[in-house]
Amino acid sequence: MILTVDIYSRNTWWKAAFLFFCVLVGAASLYITDKLVSKLEEREKQQIELYAESFKYTMTSDPNQDVNFFFDKFKQANENNTIPVILKNGTGYLESNNIEIPKELSSKEKQAFLKEKLDEIMRDDNVPIELDMDFHKEYIYYGNSQLLNILRYYPLFQLLIVLIFGFAAYLFFDASRRSEQNRVWVGLAKETAHQLGTPLSSLTAWVEYFKTDPSFDPEIVKEIEKDVQRLDVITTRFSNIGSVPVLKDENVVETIETFMSYLQKRISTKVSFTLDNQLQSNKTLKLNRYLFEWVIENICKNAVDAMEGVGALTVVLKELKNDQIAIDITDTGKGIAKKNLSKVFNPGFSTKKRGWGLGLTLAKRIIENYHAGKLFVKHSEVNKGTTFRILLGSGETE
């Protein structure tokens, strides 16, 4: 016995595993980089402390020594010459190292410039080093080197790249999965239409035979013929899946009336049907009759199920602004809970035990993708009923 694993049936597991992998890579990157940053930060701190001790020793032993001379020595003695340093003496005078100062500035302007740089350095949260001289105190302020600043933000950049890559890979995988599923469903639908063709042709021939036989009740034969025609419509619907539907000028009222007349005789007699046509004229729209009837059928059958075979179903047609048609289908069923309003059109969502959750999804796709209209829940109240609205034609939603 050969066991096969459907990768798509484990979609949730793959999503979780892929997300965990991305988080793991990001966390590892953050951890390693944080260790490197901590070591580099400690090293720079040691360099500044070494410089401070050397500076203090030299300045206290020989006060006439040139300050700039020691800055140059410090710069030459350390491989890392990118740490910005500002020395503030007892009088508040500032000297700097590894800070680029415009040459055209005067002495006063240089001091103002260094004060601004000092504020920037202090934002790095490095504790200044205090030098206790003979008669005053001096302070050495230092910031982070450019390399240290880059390493601080590098893991965030790296994590962003990992997330972007992961998101792109997920979209690619999800698109591939959906594309393959769509091909399977389209192929299955077309094969179903093909398989229905043979018995349908036979049934059509039998109906024609029954018509010629006076022993059969004409009314029964008429109803059987309607069912055969219905099967033909269903076959045409399935054959249209995956193809660009042909739209023709159709009378909207007549199309809905025809379907409701057929459906009314095949459901509970305790459900009343009402068609309220408020259109001023026989309105025609570009429709694919087979697919549009499918939409009305799905919504009406859901309404009948929601009423559990007892209630009232009302279809109202009215004209809105900009030559737009609104079709409101209202039932007196159990309604839709607020938490489920955003899910009713999702594939697989159904409140029925044996529901596939595809009817409303398919209806919305037919209206919005093929007829450039809109389908949505206009109103719903638990235990009172639901109204679905279909908008066709140009214009804005009312």
Side-chain angles (χ1 to χ4, degrees), residues 236-354:
T236 304
R237 289 174 181 173
F238 278 109
S239 65
N240 282 336
I241 292 179
S243 305
V244 178
V246 178
L247 305 182
K248 297 180 180 179
D249 288 322
E250 299 283 356
N251 188 304
V252 181
V253 179
E254 180 185 338
T255 302
I256 295 177
E257 282 180 340
T258 301
F259 168 74
M260 292 188 67
S261 175
Y262 171 83
L263 182 64
Q264 191 169 12
K265 296 179 180 179
R266 287 158 178 79
I267 62 172
S268 172
T269 56
K270 296 181 181 180
V271 175
S272 63
F273 281 78
T274 303
L275 179 60
D276 183 7
N277 179 20
Q278 300 178 11
L279 301 180
Q280 296 179 356
S281 60
N282 291 329
K283 189 70 177 179
T284 60
L285 291 174
K286 290 287 185 182
L287 300 174
N288 183 290
R289 189 183 185 100
Y290 299 107
L291 295 180
F292 180 71
E293 282 185 356
W294 203 352
V295 173
I296 303 298
E297 178 179 345
N298 281 329
I299 298 176
C300 288
K301 285 187 174 180
N302 277 345
V304 172
D305 290 340
M307 294 184 291
E308 297 180 348
V310 180
L313 182 63
T314 304
V315 180
V316 180
L317 292 90
K318 58 183 177 180
E319 195 163 352
L320 305 181
K321 300 176 182 178
N322 299 329
D323 202 31
Q324 192 176 31
I325 297 296
I327 304 172
D328 291 340
I329 303 175
T330 304
D331 64 65
T332 56
K334 56 187 177 182
I336 304 171
K338 289 185 178 180
K339 64 179 182 179
N340 293 329
L341 285 175
S342 60
K343 305 175 184 177
V344 293
F345 295 107
N346 291 349
F349 177 79
S350 177
T351 56
K352 294 180 289 186
K353 293 181 179 179
R354 296 184 179 181

Side-chain angles (χ1 to χ4, degrees), residues 116-340:
E116 293 180 2
K117 290 295 181 182
L118 181 61
D119 292 337
E120 293 180 12
I121 287 176
M122 291 177 67
R123 294 194 195 105
D124 291 334
D125 293 330
N126 293 324
V127 179
I129 298 175
E130 181 180 297
L131 301 179
D132 192 4
M133 312 302 277
D134 291 339
F135 302 103
H136 63 277
K137 291 184 178 181
E138 297 187 359
Y139 296 89
I140 294 179
Y141 297 87
Y142 67 99
N144 297 326
S145 66
Q146 186 177 6
L147 177 61
L148 182 59
N149 287 328
I150 291 175
L151 285 176
R152 281 187 184 279
Y153 295 104
Y154 174 73
L156 298 178
F157 173 76
Q158 190 177 29
L159 181 60
L160 179 63
I161 294 298
V162 170
L163 291 177
I164 291 175
F165 172 77
F167 183 67
Y170 168 75
L171 290 180
F172 175 77
F173 175 80
D174 193 56
S176 299
R177 178 182 62 84
R178 290 180 182 275
S179 177
E180 184 169 341
Q181 286 181 335
N182 286 335
R183 288 196 296 270
V184 171
W185 284 112
V186 169
L188 181 60
K190 290 187 177 295
E191 180 62 21
T192 301
H194 176 72
Q195 294 294 334
L196 284 173
T198 301
L200 187 59
S201 298
S202 177
L203 287 173
T204 303
W206 277 109
V207 169
E208 293 301 322
Y209 172 76
F210 292 152
K211 285 181 180 180
T212 61
D213 191 338
S215 63
F216 287 97
D217 187 343
E219 289 300 320
I220 295 178
V221 175
K222 187 176 180 180
E223 290 303 318
I224 293 176
E225 184 178 22
K226 287 183 180 179
D227 286 332
V228 172
Q229 290 173 351
R230 195 67 189 167
L231 284 174
D232 184 55
V233 170
I234 294 172
T235 303
T236 304
R237 289 174 181 173
F238 278 109
S239 65
N240 282 336
I241 292 179
S243 305
V244 178
V246 178
L247 305 182
K248 297 180 180 179
D249 288 322
E250 299 283 356
N251 188 304
V252 181
V253 179
E254 180 185 338
T255 302
I256 295 177
E257 282 180 340
T258 301
F259 168 74
M260 292 188 67
S261 175
Y262 171 83
L263 182 64
Q264 191 169 12
K265 296 179 180 179
R266 287 158 178 79
I267 62 172
S268 172
T269 56
K270 296 181 181 180
V271 175
S272 63
F273 281 78
T274 303
L275 179 60
D276 183 7
N277 179 20
Q278 300 178 11
L279 301 180
Q280 296 179 356
S281 60
N282 291 329
K283 189 70 177 179
T284 60
L285 291 174
K286 290 287 185 182
L287 300 174
N288 183 290
R289 189 183 185 100
Y290 299 107
L291 295 180
F292 180 71
E293 282 185 356
W294 203 352
V295 173
I296 303 298
E297 178 179 345
N298 281 329
I299 298 176
C300 288
K301 285 187 174 180
N302 277 345
V304 172
D305 290 340
M307 294 184 291
E308 297 180 348
V310 180
L313 182 63
T314 304
V315 180
V316 180
L317 292 90
K318 58 183 177 180
E319 195 163 352
L320 305 181
K321 300 176 182 178
N322 299 329
D323 202 31
Q324 192 176 31
I325 297 296
I327 304 172
D328 291 340
I329 303 175
T330 304
D331 64 65
T332 56
K334 56 187 177 182
I336 304 171
K338 289 185 178 180
K339 64 179 182 179
N340 293 329

